[in-house]
């Protein structure tokens, strides 16, 4: 009975195998039958018995690094070898061969090799990258394999595409890496000297300059001080001459070639043409010539003779004066001649050095050890400022429009505060509008009971006044004042300066506002206005809780009495009192009687005492707010005989000024006493 074809039940290794090809080990080379390769596998690509294939890439020991692949573990790690090559140069008088040095880079991540030849000055041969980065195969008969890290060492020869490179040394990282993978390093060698470069060096050493007296070595100074410039702030006082004045200059001293450049600082509206440079960049002589020199009069060289050789080997040249008898000696300004307080001669103009920048100070500290850099004021005293006066307001349009017409020939519109408009304009549920309920302060009996809603728009500081419409009042309600900015009273109309307008900080409950001659007393505000003023207490100090607590702290002498009043109101000792109880204000009966007599209340003593007895508590205290509200015939009028029902007209500005419902029910008076007077619980 045959076993089922299941894992572990079959011993036939060919089960599931699909490749049965046989590798070809024999072939023909130059019509000669020979063994092509012994490393090819057997049937189906499987290794023969006892056969081991050579790795195609460098095989590193397992203890080297982690188990990551080589392109990750050896990323950006390169072995560097120093090598040279003997290059034959036939038919040359300098020698039959040249020694060319190379750098061999072996990249560990993918076994690629790059060969570079460092550039050598005046070598006469193209240099740079000799072999680009790539995998290089071994020389025949192993051309089917590639170079790995185990093929490299010191003092060995490697063949790249038929060229033999002799490795004589490597860097420290390469030595350490080869030692870690078990490669025994050979001792380093020496690179032979190139015979052509040796002959060239000996020739240059034997050569002497033709004119040793004309050696001007300015390259070192240029390389050391290139792009380094000293900057001084100067003053040329030309006020003594006709139409002259004080001119501010900037002097640049170029350390690379000891040249000087002067620029003029041209103030606005100076009346002078702007010039690019006051003095072009050149060497500045200390003593200027008395006049203008003729062409060729001032020269550094004097030519004695011009000569030429034979026609077959013609050499043209000239002979210079060795002693330079015709040279004009001039002394030029150096960096040692420039310092703060020095006066230099700029072609007849006395220029005073007043100050310098930080780089110049650091340069003189380092080179000359100068520490004193006290600046000299170079700016002329400021001219008296002429106040710009504008004509008074014409009365047409706004004051801003009248002012803009005086600034330029072409009037431009007044620019509004767009940023404030975008931040304070109404959006969503945020109105950015302060609304107050106010009454008109007047002596006219017909206008005493008139109530208004004053709206202040924070986006552009405008105010609108609306009077709620009330039926059968005899007064036409509606819009009392359209949205406009309101000027403060007492200002002149036709003046040059801009007027001052009412600001949001001047509005609070209890304030009196003058709106174009009408006096309004602010009685109440809506919930949004109260919250906004409490949030921005720095703008609205009347809504600051700190200011209220400060006023309470001024009554510290009555702290014990206040605590006794709270304790008496808290019968259950809960340390909390009702909000309405907290708001009540009580005074003794005798004080209320004195107030009534002071205001000449038309009541007899008996009638007044009878009325007061109706408001007294057990301790002869009277809540004066409820008492005076009861006497106010406007708030508590006589009941009407017949109530009339009517429907009020509504509009977006109408608001009756009723206070919002207060969510507070109880007051923690112990915390209040602790914050204000520092009293603790007994």
């Amino acid at each position: 009975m045959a076993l089922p074809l299941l894992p572990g039940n079959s011993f036939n290794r060919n089960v599931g195998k699909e490749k049965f090809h046989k590798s070809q080990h024999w072939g023909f080379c130059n019509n000669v039958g020979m063994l092509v390769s012994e490393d090819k596998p057997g049937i189906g690509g499987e290794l023969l018995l006892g056969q081991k294939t050579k790795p195609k890439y460098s095989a590193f020991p397992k203890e080297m690094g982690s188990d990551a692949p080589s392109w990750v573990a050896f990323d950006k790690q390169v072995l560097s070898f120093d090598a040279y090559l003997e290059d034959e140069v036939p038919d040359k008088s300098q020698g039959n061969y040249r020694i060319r040095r190379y750098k061999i880079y072996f990249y560990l991540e993918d076994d690629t090799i790059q060969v570079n030849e460092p550039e050598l000055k005046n070598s006469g041969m193209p240099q740079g990258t000799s072999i680009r980065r790539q995998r290089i195969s071994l020389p025949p008969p192993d051309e089917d394999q590639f170079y790995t890290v185990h093929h490299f060492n010191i003092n060995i020869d490697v063949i790249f595409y038929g060229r033999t490179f002799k490795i004589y040394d490597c860097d420290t990282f390469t030595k350490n890496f080869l030692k870690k993978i078990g490669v025994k390093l050979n001792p380093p060698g020496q690179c032979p000297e190139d015979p052509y470069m040796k002959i060239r060096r000996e020739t240059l050493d034997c050569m002497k300059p033709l004119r040793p007296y004309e050696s001007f070595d300015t390259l070192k100074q240029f390389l050391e001080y290139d792009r380094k410039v000293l900057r001084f702030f100067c003053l040329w006082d030309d006020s003594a001459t006709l139409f002259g004045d004080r001119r501010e200059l900037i002097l640049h001293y170029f350390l690379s070639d000891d040249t000087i450049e002067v620029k003029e600082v041209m103030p606005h509206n100076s009346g002078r043409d702007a010039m690019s440079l006051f003095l072009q960049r050149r060497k500045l002589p200390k003593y200027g010539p008395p006049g203008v020199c003729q062409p060729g009069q001032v020269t550094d060289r004097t030519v004695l003779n011009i000569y030429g050789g034979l026609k077959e080997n013609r050499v043209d040249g000239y002979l210079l004066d060795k002693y330079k008898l015709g040279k004009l000696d001039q002394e030029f300004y150096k960096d040692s001649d420039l310092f703060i307080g020095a006066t230099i001669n700029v072609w007849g103009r006395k220029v005073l050095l007043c100050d310098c920048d930080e780089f110049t100070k650091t340069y003189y500290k380092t080179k000359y050890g100068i520490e004193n850099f006290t600046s000299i004021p170079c700016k002329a005293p400021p001219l008296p400022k002429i106040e710009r006066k504008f004509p008074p307001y014409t009365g047409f349009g706004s004051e801003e429009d009248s002012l803009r017409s005086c600034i330029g020939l072409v009037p431009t519109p007044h620019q509004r505060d767009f940023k404030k408009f975008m931040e304070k304009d109404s959006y969503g549920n945020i109105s950015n509008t302060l609304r107050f309920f106010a009454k008109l302060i007047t002596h006219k009996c017909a206008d005493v009971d008139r109530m208004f809603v004053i709206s202040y728009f924070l986006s552009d500081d405008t105010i609108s006044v609306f009077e709620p419409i009330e039926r059968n009042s005899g007064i036409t309600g509606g819009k009392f004042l359209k949205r406009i900015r309101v000027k403060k009273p007492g200002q002149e109309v036709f003046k040059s300066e801009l007027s001052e307008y009412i600001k949001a900080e001047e509005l609070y409950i209890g304030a009196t506002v003058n709106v174009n001659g009408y006096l309004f007393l602010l009685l109440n505000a809506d919930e949004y206005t109260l919250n906004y003023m409490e949030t921005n207490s720095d703008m609205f100090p009347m809504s600051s809780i700190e200011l209220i607590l400060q006023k309470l702290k001024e009554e510290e002498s009555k702290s014990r009495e206040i605590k006794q009043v709270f304790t008496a109101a808290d019968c259950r000792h809960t340390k909390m009192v009702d909000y309405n109880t907290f708001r009540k204000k009580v005074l003794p009966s005798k004080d209320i009687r004195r107030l009534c007599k002071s205001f000449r209340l038309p009541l007899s003593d008996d009638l007044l005492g009878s009325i007061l007895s109706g408001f007294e508590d057990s301790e002869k205290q009277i809540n004066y707010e409820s008492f005076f509200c009861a006497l106010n015939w406007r708030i508590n009028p006589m009941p009407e005989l017949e109530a009339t029902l009517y429907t009020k007209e509504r509009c977006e500005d109408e608001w009756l000024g009723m206070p919002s419902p207060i969510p507070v029910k109880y007051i923690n008076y112990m915390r209040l006493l602790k914050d204000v007077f520092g009293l603790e619980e007994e």
Side-chain angles (χ1 to χ4, degrees):
M1 181 178 179
L3 296 176
L5 188 58
L6 294 175
N9 295 335
S10 177
F11 299 97
N12 188 2
R13 297 182 179 178
N14 294 328
V15 175
K17 188 174 181 180
E18 297 179 354
K19 296 180 180 180
F20 296 93
H21 66 275
K22 182 179 180 181
S23 301
Q24 183 69 26
H25 294 272
W26 295 89
F28 290 90
C29 183
N30 296 329
N31 296 326
V32 178
M34 59 184 300
L35 183 63
V36 177
S37 177
E38 298 179 355
D39 298 333
K40 291 187 177 181
I43 304 299
E46 294 183 356
L47 298 178
L48 300 175
L49 185 62
Q51 184 182 15
K52 294 182 180 179
T53 58
K54 296 181 180 180
K56 295 182 179 180
Y57 292 90
S58 299
F60 300 100
K62 294 184 177 180
E63 59 272 8
M64 291 288 296
S66 60
D67 296 336
S70 60
W71 56 273
V72 175
F74 299 103
D75 184 28
K76 297 182 181 180
Q77 295 188 12
V78 185
L79 304 183
S80 176
F81 297 92
D82 298 328
Y84 68 92
L85 176 67
E86 294 183 1
D87 193 4
E88 295 183 0
V89 184
D91 300 334
K92 291 291 183 179
S93 60
Q94 291 85 356
N96 297 329
Y97 68 94
R98 297 285 300 274
I99 300 296
R100 305 179 66 175
R101 300 191 180 190
Y102 292 89
K103 282 281 188 180
I104 300 177
Y105 299 105
F106 183 87
Y107 295 86
L108 297 172
E109 56 181 343
D110 54 359
D111 291 353
T112 54
I113 299 174
Q114 181 178 352
V115 181
N116 293 345
E117 183 179 5
E119 294 184 1
L120 189 61
K121 186 177 180 181
N122 296 329
S123 65
M125 294 180 295
Q127 296 170 337
T129 302
S130 179
I131 301 177
R132 294 183 179 179
R133 180 178 174 181
Q134 56 186 298
R135 294 196 71 189
I136 301 177
S137 59
L138 294 175
D142 300 326
E143 63 272 11
D144 57 337
Q145 302 179 23
F146 296 91
Y147 276 98
T148 63
V149 69
H150 300 284
H151 292 98
F152 290 89
N153 204 331
I154 302 176
N155 272 338
I156 64 171
D157 296 345
V158 291
I159 301 176
F160 297 153
Y161 300 115
R163 305 181 70 185
T164 303
F165 295 87
K166 298 181 180 181
I167 300 176
Y168 64 90
D169 202 356
C170 61
D171 59 359
T172 306
F173 172 77
T174 305
K175 293 179 181 178
N176 295 335
F177 185 85
L178 294 177
K179 289 179 182 179
K180 289 181 180 179
I181 64 175
V183 177
K184 185 178 180 181
L185 293 177
N186 300 327
Q190 296 292 335
C191 179
E193 188 176 5
D194 186 10
Y196 171 76
M197 298 304 297
K198 181 179 179 181
I199 295 174
R200 184 177 180 84
R201 185 176 66 254
E202 293 175 354
T203 304
L204 292 176
D205 293 341
C206 296
M207 293 178 62
K208 294 182 179 179
L210 298 178
R211 302 178 184 89
Y213 58 89
E214 291 186 356
S215 60
F216 298 100
D217 185 12
T218 59
L219 181 60
K220 179 181 179 181
Q221 181 182 0
F222 174 79
L223 296 177
E224 184 177 359
Y225 294 107
D226 186 29
R227 298 179 182 271
K228 295 182 180 180
V229 183
L230 305 180
R231 183 169 64 169
F232 291 89
F233 303 97
C234 316
L235 174 65
W236 173 37
D237 192 355
D238 191 35
S239 57
T241 60
L242 183 63
F243 305 113
D245 56 356
R246 296 162 61 96
R247 300 193 181 185
E248 298 180 15
L249 308 175
I250 297 179
L251 185 144
H252 292 157
Y253 184 89
F254 298 87
L255 295 173
S256 60
D257 54 358
D258 299 326
T259 55
I260 291 178
E261 175 187 85
V262 181
K263 294 183 178 181
E264 183 177 2
V265 180
M266 195 72 66
H268 296 289
N269 300 326
S270 62
R272 297 193 297 268
D273 294 334
M275 301 296 294
S276 59
L277 289 175
F278 186 81
L279 176 66
Q280 291 185 353
R281 180 178 175 180
R282 63 182 64 182
K283 286 190 176 183
L284 181 62
K286 291 185 178 180
Y287 309 100
V292 179
C293 299
Q294 297 298 325
Q297 183 177 354
V298 179
T299 178
D300 294 336
R301 296 180 178 182
T302 302
V303 180
L304 297 179
N305 194 5
I306 300 177
Y307 59 90
L310 300 177
K311 294 183 178 180
E312 296 179 357
N313 191 12
R314 184 179 182 86
V315 177
D316 297 331
Y318 53 89
L319 182 63
L320 299 178
D321 183 10
K322 179 177 180 180
Y323 299 99
K324 299 183 180 181
L325 297 178
K327 181 181 179 181
L328 180 62
D329 294 331
Q330 287 183 324
E331 188 177 358
F332 298 96
Y333 279 104
K334 301 291 184 180
D335 56 349
S336 57
D337 302 324
L338 306 179
F339 56 89
I340 297 178
T343 302
I344 62 175
N345 180 17
V346 182
W347 297 99
R349 297 171 177 84
K350 303 299 181 181
V351 176
L352 175 64
L353 306 184
C354 301
D355 200 358
C356 59
D357 59 359
E358 292 299 328
F359 172 77
T360 307
K361 294 179 182 178
T362 305
Y363 174 80
Y364 280 96
K365 285 180 183 179
T366 306
K367 186 174 182 179
Y368 298 104
I370 300 177
E371 297 291 341
N372 185 15
F373 296 97
T374 304
S375 61
I376 301 174
C378 60
K379 291 185 177 295
L383 298 175
K385 186 176 181 181
I386 301 177
E387 185 180 359
R388 189 176 184 181
K389 296 183 179 180
F390 297 98
Y393 175 50
T394 59
F396 298 96
S398 62
E399 295 180 352
E400 289 79 5
D401 296 336
S402 178
L403 179 62
R404 297 300 298 181
S405 64
C406 302
I407 293 178
L409 295 177
V410 179
T412 56
H414 173 66
Q415 298 294 332
R416 63 189 298 184
D417 193 349
F418 187 74
K419 180 180 179 181
K420 181 179 179 181
F421 174 77
M422 295 300 296
E423 292 178 353
K424 298 296 183 180
D425 192 22
S426 59
Y427 59 93
N429 297 328
I430 302 177
S431 63
N432 282 321
T433 304
L434 307 182
R435 295 198 301 175
F436 297 89
F437 192 68
K439 64 177 294 185
L440 187 64
I441 301 177
T442 180
H443 297 289
K444 298 180 180 180
C445 297
D447 298 335
V448 171
D449 296 333
R450 297 177 65 180
M451 296 296 176
F452 298 86
V453 176
I454 300 178
S455 301
Y456 188 92
F457 300 89
L458 298 173
S459 60
D460 53 359
D461 300 329
T462 55
I463 295 177
S464 66
V465 182
F466 180 83
E467 184 178 8
I469 300 175
E470 188 174 357
R471 297 285 296 274
N472 299 328
S473 62
I475 299 174
T476 303
K479 185 176 293 185
F480 185 82
L481 176 68
K482 69 176 183 180
R483 182 175 175 179
I484 192 175
R485 289 192 302 170
V486 178
K487 297 181 180 179
K488 293 182 180 180
Q491 301 184 72
E492 186 180 352
V493 178
F494 301 100
K495 61 183 184 301
S496 302
E497 298 80 11
L498 297 178
S499 301
E500 296 183 3
Y501 297 88
I502 296 178
K503 300 180 180 179
E505 295 83 356
E506 303 173 8
L507 304 179
Y508 56 89
I509 298 177
T512 301
V513 183
N514 189 329
V515 180
N516 297 337
Y518 293 91
L519 296 179
F520 292 94
L521 177 62
L522 305 184
L523 302 176
N524 204 348
D526 61 357
E527 188 67 22
Y528 173 79
T529 305
L530 296 176
N531 293 335
Y532 184 86
M533 291 191 298
E534 291 178 1
T535 305
N536 302 275
S537 58
D538 53 341
M539 296 176 53
F540 303 92
M542 291 302 199
S543 300
S544 175
I545 188 65
E546 290 79 7
L547 180 61
I548 298 174
L549 295 178
Q550 184 63 29
K551 290 184 178 181
L552 291 176
K553 290 181 180 180
E554 296 176 359
E555 303 294 335
E556 189 175 0
S557 58
K558 301 180 181 180
S559 60
R560 294 293 178 182
E561 300 177 4
I562 296 175
K563 183 177 180 180
Q564 292 176 1
V565 172
F566 280 120
T567 306
D570 186 13
C571 302
R572 299 182 179 180
H573 303 285
T574 59
K575 302 180 183 179
M576 307 287 288
V577 295
D578 186 73
Y579 176 77
N580 295 326
T581 305
F582 181 78
R583 288 186 74 248
K584 288 181 178 179
K585 308 173 186 65
V586 293
L587 290 176
S589 299
K590 59 181 181 179
D591 294 341
I592 298 296
R593 184 185 296 271
R594 186 174 66 255
L595 290 174
C596 294
K597 291 294 185 181
S598 300
F599 284 94
R600 297 179 181 180
L601 193 65
L603 297 174
S604 61
D605 294 341
D606 296 338
L607 182 57
L608 180 60
S610 176
I611 295 175
L612 292 176
S613 61
F615 293 91
E616 289 182 353
D617 54 7
S618 59
E619 298 181 358
K620 301 296 183 179
Q621 301 285 337
I622 297 177
N623 189 333
Y624 74 91
E625 183 179 5
S626 59
F627 173 72
F628 285 107
C629 288
L631 296 180
N632 191 344
W633 59 272
R634 293 189 180 92
I635 299 177
N636 299 316
M638 292 295 294
E640 298 181 2
L641 298 178
E642 183 179 356
T644 57
L645 299 177
Y646 58 89
T647 303
K648 292 186 176 181
E649 297 181 2
R650 300 290 181 182
C651 92
E652 61 177 2
D653 289 337
E654 182 176 350
W655 175 58
L656 298 180
M658 298 302 294
S660 303
I662 300 175
V664 180
K665 295 183 178 180
Y666 299 98
I667 300 298
N668 191 336
Y669 65 89
M670 287 303 301
R671 182 177 297 177
L672 175 64
L673 296 176
K674 182 178 180 180
D675 293 341
V676 178
F677 305 112
L679 298 179
E680 299 290 343
E681 182 182 359
E682 296 179 356

